[in-house]
Amino acid sequence: MEFISWHEEIQQISPKKDEEKNRLQRILELQSEVVNAYEAKDNYKGYDFDLNNHISILVDNFAAYKYNLYESIMLHYAKEFSDFSPDLWNWSIKNASEYLDRVYCVDKILSISHPDFNYPENPMQINVQIKACRYESERLLLPVRKSIKYTNNKGNSYSHPRELSNLNNIQIFIWYHWCPIRHDVIIHALKEPRKLFSLLQIEKGFYKERIAGNPLKIGDDHKKAEVLYLDPTADQFPSDNFIFVHNPFVH
């Protein structure tokens, strides 16, 4: 399989810039590519960073083309910053593979900025973290990695914090769940995810049991990730902060 990098095509996604026929054709192509990529993943038993990265790019492009996700995000912020023309908002994306860690952001970090407020010492920038996964459960949960623990051949172990520790540094967290039944994507775009961080840190875990269960450990003896599965329907979940939600099962 030929892997793709995050390309400039996403910059051109707009009904105004693309003929409707070409846009629909590209949606079908991306849909087929996502299906093929997940089938390749099913046939591969180990962990493949490049394949996961590839899937994330495809799913994100599919969501952007079909549902104009990024335009919706920019229009949301244009309401708050009315002096900034929404047509001038732009975004830049870096592959996770460009980071030395290669797993620091799962799966993408994207930055939205505006040229009318782009001072180096105080940029107007919206950081977005993107996570793509497979929809496999009867109950839709939102995964976020708490940490990864490595154990070497000598039995020494060390941990690295992951997404949970980054919630204070981003403005939007997007979860993608690819639905293999509908060949469509479930989208949750949450504004100010730092509110999740504070709820999860409350003493004695009073709210923790309401928006997430105990972390699950996934992996083998040498590498284990602790994953929290958040419940977006929980009473204490800040659901009013969702900028965009799409679920093909309820539409």
Side-chain angles (χ1 to χ4, degrees):
M1 178 179 293
E2 182 179 352
F3 297 119
I4 63 173
S5 61
W6 213 301
H7 43 74
E8 295 180 357
E9 178 184 21
I10 197 171
Q11 294 275 8
Q12 309 301 323
I13 296 170
S14 171
K16 302 174 186 176
K17 300 175 183 176
D18 202 2
E19 293 182 8
E20 187 66 14
K21 182 178 179 181
N22 293 337
R23 178 173 172 270
L24 293 175
Q25 178 62 33
R26 186 59 184 138
I27 289 172
L28 292 175
E29 290 174 356
L30 285 167
Q31 185 182 59
S32 177
E33 290 171 7
V34 174
V35 171
N36 291 337
Y38 267 115
E39 287 179 352
K41 186 173 182 178
D42 289 340
N43 293 328
Y44 185 79
K45 302 305 180 182
Y47 173 80
D48 189 313
F49 172 86
D50 290 323
L51 180 54
N52 285 358
N53 197 44
H54 178 66
I55 288 173
S56 299
I57 296 169
L58 291 175
V59 173
D60 187 64
N61 283 344
F62 175 86
Y65 261 97
K66 189 167 185 179
Y67 300 112
N68 299 319
L69 176 63
Y70 294 120
E71 287 187 346
S72 298
I73 291 174
M74 286 187 288
L75 287 172
H76 173 84
Y77 279 96
K79 294 176 183 177
E80 295 190 12
F81 305 102
S82 57
D83 292 337
F84 299 154
S85 169
D87 295 332
L88 296 180
W89 286 93
N90 59 80
W91 55 88
S92 61
I93 307 119
K94 289 186 177 180
N95 284 330
S97 59
E98 293 181 13
Y99 292 83
L100 294 177
D101 192 334
R102 285 174 63 93
V103 291
Y104 176 74
C105 58
V106 180
D107 291 314
K108 291 284 164 288
I109 285 185
L110 168 152
S111 294
I112 303 174
S113 60
H114 196 284
D116 292 344
F117 198 104
N118 193 23
Y119 304 104
E121 67 277 10
N122 188 22
M124 177 60 228
Q125 184 168 289
I126 302 163
N127 293 314
V128 183
Q129 185 161 333
I130 299 164
K131 186 179 184 72
C133 49
R134 178 76 70 90
Y135 178 63
E136 297 178 331
S137 173
E138 295 179 3
R139 186 179 176 202
L140 185 62
L141 300 176
L142 308 176
V144 57
R145 290 202 298 184
K146 185 178 179 183
S147 66
I148 293 183
K149 182 177 181 180
Y150 297 91
T151 304
N152 60 25
N153 294 330
K154 297 181 179 180
N156 299 323
S157 61
Y158 50 98
S159 297
H160 290 301
R162 284 297 178 265
E163 295 159 332
L164 184 62
S165 63
N166 197 41
L167 293 183
N168 278 326
N169 302 321
I170 57 177
Q171 285 70 53
I172 300 175
F173 201 128
I174 299 175
W175 289 271
Y176 291 132
H177 291 76
W178 180 258
C179 176
I181 299 173
R182 299 289 181 90
H183 288 178
D184 202 351
V185 64
I186 301 170
I187 306 169
H188 287 83
L190 182 71
K191 179 183 176 182
E192 297 182 23
R194 62 177 59 88
K195 291 191 175 182
L196 292 174
F197 184 84
S198 60
L199 289 173
L200 289 165
Q201 298 302 313
I202 288 179
E203 188 177 2
K204 297 182 180 179
F206 176 73
Y207 288 115
K208 181 178 177 180
E209 297 302 319
R210 299 192 179 192
I211 67 173
N214 293 326
L216 294 180
K217 294 184 178 181
I218 299 173
D220 55 31
D221 292 338
H222 297 288
K223 180 180 178 182
K224 285 186 178 179
E226 280 194 321
V227 182
L228 282 172
Y229 287 92
L230 311 179
D231 183 359
T233 65
D235 292 340
Q236 299 298 332
F237 196 94
S239 55
D240 290 343
N241 283 24
F242 281 126
I243 296 176
F244 190 98
V245 177
H246 169 73
N247 190 336
F249 285 99
V250 296
H251 285 73

